[in-house]
Structure formats: C-alpha cells, structure tokens
Amino acid sequence: MEPSQKLEALSSQYNLPLQHNDRLFYNKHLYRLSVHMFRYAYPELMRVPTIDNWGWKVDTEYRTSFVTTLRKYCKKNTDRIRIENTVNGAILNYYTDDLDRLKKIIDYVLRLKSKEDDVDSIMLDLLGIRYFPGTIQERNIHYRKKSLPYGKFKFQIQGERLEREEFENWAAWADQYPDDIKINNKHNTRAWGTWCGDNIGYISTEKMLQLVKFKLGSNINKIIEYQIKETK
C-alpha cells in the first residue's frame, strides 16, 4: 500500500481529520499528530491558580506518565515532540515519518481514553493529523494548493547574515528586474541588516535564479522552490 493510501486508511479508521502542510516539519518529518491534554477531567478537581505552570499546578500522575512515555518513545525512534500550553490544557504534537509508529501512538491514546471513567484521570482528545504531501528528500520544496507566491514567483531566497549596506546593494540591484524579483519591506530593513535565514526575495524563473546566484553567491543560505500540488 502506498504511503498516501495508508495515511487515508489510518484517517478513515480512526475518524481523524487530515490537513495538508506545505513543508516538512522541522525540515525532516512528514507527519504531525496532535493530542489535546485537558488539565483535569472534572471541574471540581481544578486547583487554585498559581503563578507557576501557566497558572496551574500540573501534578497529575496520568499526565506525567503519558508525556514521559511519549518522550521516551520519541527519543528511541528519533522523532520529535512539542507541547503547547492552552487555557484549558495543552496540545501535544508528535512528529514522525513512520505511519506504523503514528498508529501505535493513536492506539495508546485510545487505550488511555478508555480509562477516563476514573475521576483522577486526565482527559485526552485526538485532534487530527497534518502531513506533508511530498517525501523526506524534498526539504527545500514548499507545496502550494492553488497559486505561487504573488501569483508567479517560483523561488524564495533565504540569505546569510547581511549588513544593512549589503542588503541595500542587493535591493538596488534587484530593482533592475521588477517583473522577476520581489523584495518585501526593502525600505524597512532593520538598522543592522538581516538575520541568517531571513527571506530576502522572491524569484520568478529558473533563468533569473541563476543570475541571482551569480549576484549573491555565498550570501545565499537556502533556496526554497514552490510547487502547486492539489490535495484532498
């Protein structure tokens, strides 16, 4: 079974919504599973707000065990976890390129949910899966659903650290090609220039890209290519 078919089957089996992501997660992962972790299962178990831990005491054994277990599993498989606190809990995002591991985590969450009749347990909800519709080799490709940036630009240039004078020199040169190069906020650049990895311009064609490479040389940190790809 192809990965795309396997992903659709997984989504259908667990009734999880699928959402397209235009690039790899952290430049290496294809999939992200999101799980909502509520603070407590019942309002009467809420603690008095404190300054620490986003105004809550998060000392429930179930939540600690769940997060710790996934952290260990993540480290073992070179995946990634990120936790974002919310008003009524937190969102745990699990990143991976393996659909079998993704299924194991879904099954684990559902097993924990089946025990939520215990008033001391924490509530969990599976929110959905976001996915990159390409491959892990396509690190510098961003997929668009309908149109290219500003309708026509196929490439984005991310620069190295540029002093203000260096950026202004680049912007003045680019002004010669208004139909083929677009620079955002070129008149509002920081007083000290740009950071490494900043977007310093959009390029329309492969031919113009070669000219830009000649102009900028080692001042280019990364080139992002945009492609149109319809997804369900």
Side-chain angles (χ1 to χ4, degrees):
M1 185 182 294
E2 292 293 324
S4 59
Q5 295 174 319
K6 193 172 181 180
L7 179 61
E8 289 181 14
L10 190 67
S11 169
S12 177
Q13 178 183 354
Y14 294 101
N15 195 29
L16 289 175
L18 285 178
Q19 289 184 302
H20 163 278
N21 205 61
D22 69 341
R23 68 200 72 180
L24 287 168
F25 298 99
Y26 294 103
N27 213 35
K28 62 185 291 187
H29 297 303
L30 293 169
Y31 312 111
R32 185 191 77 186
L33 174 70
S34 296
V35 182
H36 189 182
M37 303 183 296
F38 292 90
R39 294 292 184 187
Y40 298 98
Y42 296 89
E44 59 266 25
L45 293 180
M46 291 183 180
R47 306 301 181 94
V48 177
T50 65
I51 297 176
D52 297 325
N53 287 322
W54 295 77
W56 296 89
K57 286 186 178 180
V58 185
D59 55 1
T60 306
E61 291 182 5
Y62 289 86
R63 172 171 174 176
T64 303
S65 175
F66 173 66
V67 174
T68 301
T69 299
L70 286 194
R71 285 194 187 281
K72 290 180 179 178
Y73 187 73
C74 168
K75 185 176 181 180
K76 176 182 176 182
N77 292 288
T78 64
D79 293 334
R80 189 182 184 110
I81 277 181
R82 180 178 179 183
I83 297 175
E84 302 172 359
N85 286 280
T86 64
V87 173
N88 63 340
I91 304 297
L92 183 145
N93 291 315
Y94 191 97
Y95 304 88
T96 183
D97 351 312
D98 190 292
L99 286 173
D100 290 330
R101 291 203 292 272
L102 205 63
K103 184 179 187 305
K104 287 181 181 179
I105 294 168
I106 293 171
D107 288 336
Y108 176 55
V109 171
L110 292 178
R111 285 198 303 274
L112 291 179
K113 279 181 63 65
S114 69
K115 300 177 182 179
E116 285 181 353
D117 55 341
D118 184 342
V119 295
D120 291 325
S121 68
I122 193 166
M123 291 175 64
L124 301 170
D125 263 344
L126 290 164
L127 299 180
I129 300 170
R130 288 187 73 95
Y131 70 99
F132 174 64
T135 68
I136 56 176
Q137 286 75 38
E138 297 175 320
R139 290 179 175 84
N140 294 334
I141 293 180
H142 290 184
Y143 282 118
R144 306 281 292 228
K145 291 184 179 181
K146 295 182 179 179
S147 63
L148 298 171
Y150 300 100
K152 66 176 183 178
F153 294 101
K154 294 182 64 177
F155 304 97
Q156 179 198 117
I157 301 293
Q158 294 181 0
E160 293 288 350
R161 171 77 173 91
L162 296 178
E163 299 295 336
R164 185 178 181 87
E165 294 76 13
E166 292 177 302
F167 180 82
E168 288 177 343
N169 177 269
W170 151 243
W173 182 88
D175 279 343
Q176 301 174 82
Y177 310 97
D179 294 332
D180 294 304
I181 303 177
K182 178 176 178 58
I183 299 180
N184 290 333
N185 300 320
K186 61 183 178 182
H187 301 300
N188 297 313
T189 309
R190 303 179 185 91
W192 53 88
T194 64
W195 295 115
C196 178
D198 277 356
N199 171 14
I200 61 172
Y202 292 98
I203 314 299
S204 63
T205 65
E206 182 75 39
K207 183 178 179 180
M208 180 55 65
L209 179 64
Q210 297 307 315
L211 192 59
V212 169
K213 286 181 179 178
F214 181 77
K215 166 63 180 175
L216 290 174
S218 61
N219 285 323
I220 295 176
N221 176 271
K222 183 188 290 187
I223 298 172
I224 300 297
E225 179 181 351
Y226 293 99
Q227 295 183 12
I228 304 298
K229 188 165 188 175
E230 292 291 337
T231 58
K232 292 185 179 181

